[in-house]
């Protein structure tokens, strides 16, 4: 309706009609289709109402409070959606008002105190608002986070939520801004990497292994794509203690999904440490911690190729055949990554153990695994 007011027309919007009454409710405004348009148009009377502390608290409540079973569709879907859109609107006065009351941001992040699994719709709304506030008020948000107890633990607890993981990655990316400098050091000191790696323990569920692996891979991708040199998180992830811990989970007796998802992380890390030219002078003790520890455990990886944890036979049109299995295929992928590292000492160690021969033997020995040629051909 702002267009018509701009050019002198006297048409009054339903929003203005409600605001001119002596008594009205927030829900009456949320019911109006034009409320988001009026917010973006900077309707002063509307914004003056929305930035009241009690109104902001009510909007946050729609995001973080699950609706009752008997709630109607407006309470379940419309009010949370419109509340999210209002709080995400590009209106500076709204953002300023949000941070004037510290309990508002605290209530918003208190949603992460809930046990997993989070309602995906609610998590999406909460994290979208949190991301918008983070981008507009980086310094204030980070200062709040540093004081918020159990925040990093909550991030790790909800790794299975794509919205929460996206918020964490946006926080990591703040290191590239002047206001966000030092955020990686804080996350490192809060043991974010160690907490994620610990989730790869074979005693945890396969879903936990997958979520932890994806979280670590996303952190690697963000650090690599943003060219974060000497990133404290990556230094910690590629450090001696962390590497040994990951490999211990991968090679633990009876390890299955820990092996699969742990190796996925290792393969991503190997992509970061490959020299541009072939290195024929470096010895095994001089290798980066990840490579050195893998080379020292090559015989155990060969053992997986010889006798995988998922060794079984399947029926086919050719009769009963031995299945290659995901775990052996993942180890083959690891061996390809090691070859690509361009270290002569690594290649020599693989040859001396007969690993290359074993990989080729698998291709010819097991019927129906022509897809194995893809990693081998690379």
């Amino acid at each position: 309706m702002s267009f018509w007011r701009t050019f002198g027309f006297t048409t009054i919007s339903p929003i203005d009609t409600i605001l001119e009454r002596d008594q009205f409710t927030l829900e009456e405004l949320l019911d109006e289709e034009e409320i988001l348009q009026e917010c973006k148009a900077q309707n002063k009377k509307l914004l003056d109402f929305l930035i009241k502390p009690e109104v902001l608290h009510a909007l946050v409540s729609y995001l973080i409070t699950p609706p009752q079973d008997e709630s109607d569709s407006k309470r379940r879907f419309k009010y949370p959606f419109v509340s999210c859109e209002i709080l995400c609107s590009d209106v500076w006065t709204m953002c300023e008002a949000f941070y004037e009351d510290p309990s508002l941001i605290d209530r918003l992040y208190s949603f992460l105190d809930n046990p997993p699994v989070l309602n995906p719709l609610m998590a999406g709304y909460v994290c979208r608002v949190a991301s918008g506030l983070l981008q507009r008020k980086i310094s204030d948000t980070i200062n709040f986070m540093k004081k918020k107890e159990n925040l990093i633990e909550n991030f790790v607890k909800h790794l299975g939520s794509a919205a929460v993981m996206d918020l964490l990655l946006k926080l990591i990316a703040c290191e590239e801004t002047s206001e966000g400098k030092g955020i990686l050091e804080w996350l490192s000191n809060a043991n974010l990497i160690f907490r994620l790696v610990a989730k790869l323990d074979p005693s945890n569920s396969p879903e936990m292994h997958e979520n932890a692996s994806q979280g670590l891979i996303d952190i690697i991708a963000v650090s690599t794509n943003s060219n974060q040199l000497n990133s404290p998180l990556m230094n910690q992830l590629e450090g001696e203690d962390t590497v040994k811990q990951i490999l211990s989970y991968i090679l633990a007796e009876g390890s299955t999904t820990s092996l699969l998802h742990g190796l996925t992380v290792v393969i991503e890390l190997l992509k970061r440490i490959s020299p541009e030219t072939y290195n024929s002078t470096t010895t095994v003790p001089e290798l980066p911690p990840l490579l050195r520890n893998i080379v020292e455990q090559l015989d155990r990886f060969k053992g997986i190729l010889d006798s995988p944890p998922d060794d079984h036979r399947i029926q086919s049109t050719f009769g009963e055949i031995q299945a290659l299995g995901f775990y052996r295929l993942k180890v083959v992928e690891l061996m390809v990554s090691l070859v690509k590292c361009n270290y002569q000492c690594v290649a020599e160690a693989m040859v001396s153990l007969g690993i290359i021969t074993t990989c080729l033997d698998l291709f010819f020995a097991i019927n129906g695994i022509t897809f194995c040629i893809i990693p081998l051909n690379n």
Side-chain angles (χ1 to χ4, degrees), residues 59-131:
L59 292 174
V60 170
S61 292
Y62 279 128
L63 302 182
I64 67 174
T65 307
Q68 299 296 321
D69 292 339
E70 63 274 11
S71 299
D72 59 18
S73 60
K74 287 184 178 180
R75 173 60 187 90
R76 287 176 176 274
F77 304 111
K78 183 172 184 177
Y79 293 163
F81 168 75
V82 178
S83 297
C84 174
E85 292 296 321
I86 290 172
L87 293 173
C88 289
S89 59
D90 192 15
V91 179
W92 189 251
T93 53
M94 185 85 65
C95 185
E96 289 283 352
F98 206 93
Y99 278 87
E100 286 177 1
D101 184 351
S103 63
L104 278 167
I105 189 73
D106 188 66
R107 286 191 67 206
L108 186 68
Y109 277 88
S110 70
F111 177 75
L112 299 181
D113 292 334
N114 291 313
V117 174
L118 295 175
N119 180 303
L121 188 62
M122 294 177 66
Y125 289 149
V126 169
C127 292
R128 186 179 168 204
V129 172
S131 295

Side-chain angles (χ1 to χ4, degrees), residues 299-355:
D299 58 330
R300 299 183 65 184
F301 283 111
K302 185 177 183 298
I304 295 173
L305 293 174
D306 294 332
S307 180
D310 63 338
D311 189 23
H312 63 280
R313 296 181 178 275
I314 58 176
Q315 296 296 327
S316 74
T317 55
F318 302 102
E320 187 180 72
I321 63 173
Q322 182 184 12
L324 179 68
F326 288 109
Y327 304 110
R328 272 201 292 207
L329 189 60
K330 183 60 72 172
V331 173
V332 170
E333 188 179 346
L334 171 67
M335 297 307 144
V336 172
S337 297
L338 290 176
V339 171
K340 289 181 178 180
C341 284
N342 287 331
Y343 281 99
Q344 181 173 324
C345 62
V346 175
E348 289 174 347
M350 295 174 67
V351 170
S352 66
L353 287 172
I355 289 177

Side-chain angles (χ1 to χ4, degrees), residues 156-199:
V156 175
K157 180 173 65 176
H158 296 300
L159 276 177
S161 168
V164 175
M165 195 62 213
D166 184 61
L167 177 59
L168 177 59
L169 295 177
K170 287 180 179 177
L171 177 62
I172 292 172
C174 286
E175 179 73 19
E176 298 304 302
T177 67
S178 57
E179 292 179 289
K181 283 293 182 185
I183 188 64
L184 296 186
E185 190 67 40
W186 172 66
L187 290 171
S188 176
N189 292 336
N191 292 323
L192 172 63
I193 295 298
F194 289 137
R195 292 171 189 263
L196 289 173
V197 169
K199 299 300 181 182

